Amino acid sequence: VKKPLLETILALRTQPQLGQQLKGKLAFLRSLHYQHGRIHYRVAYEIYPRTQEIAVHYAGPRENFYRQLDRLHLKPRSSHKL
């Protein structure tokens, strides 16, 4: 699982818009989907517009992914200086 996850995250270096924009209170995040074996995974990340840097906030199996992500009580950090 680690190698496919790392490969997925590294793909964001050249294609930061690859994931889907989330909606609602998590609209500041994007979700990138990938599969390893028969299990579907998600990676939630944020793009900092000024620097185009990417922060991965959470990665895990699709099952209960958004519920777990919501429990993190993340706030957008895009407006903060890096």
Side-chain angles (χ1 to χ4, degrees), residues 2 7 9 11 17-20 22 29 32 39 41 45 47 49 52-54 57-58 60-62 70 76-77:
K2 290 180 185 180
E7 290 170 355
I9 292 170
Q17 304 293 331
L18 196 57
Q20 298 174 351
L22 296 181
L29 297 174
L32 184 58
I39 301 174
Y41 293 90
Y45 65 98
I47 301 171
Q52 288 302 300
E53 291 181 314
I54 297 168
H57 292 291
Y58 184 69
R62 182 185 62 147
D70 190 45
R77 294 187 285 174

Side-chain angles (χ1 to χ4, degrees), residues 1-12 18 32-43 56 59-60:
V1 173
K2 290 180 185 180
K3 185 176 179 182
L5 173 60
L6 182 58
E7 290 170 355
T8 299
I9 292 170
L10 290 177
L12 294 173
L18 196 57
L32 184 58
H33 305 180
Y34 76 99
Q35 183 175 341
H36 180 66
R38 296 180 62 156
I39 301 174
H40 295 265
Y41 293 90
R42 303 288 186 263
V43 176
V56 174

Side-chain angles (χ1 to χ4, degrees), residues 28 46 48-49 55-57 74-82:
F28 64 97
E46 180 177 5
Y48 299 115
V56 174
H57 292 291
L74 297 172
K75 303 286 186 222
R77 294 187 285 174
S78 298
S79 60
H80 290 29
K81 290 183 179 180
L82 295 175

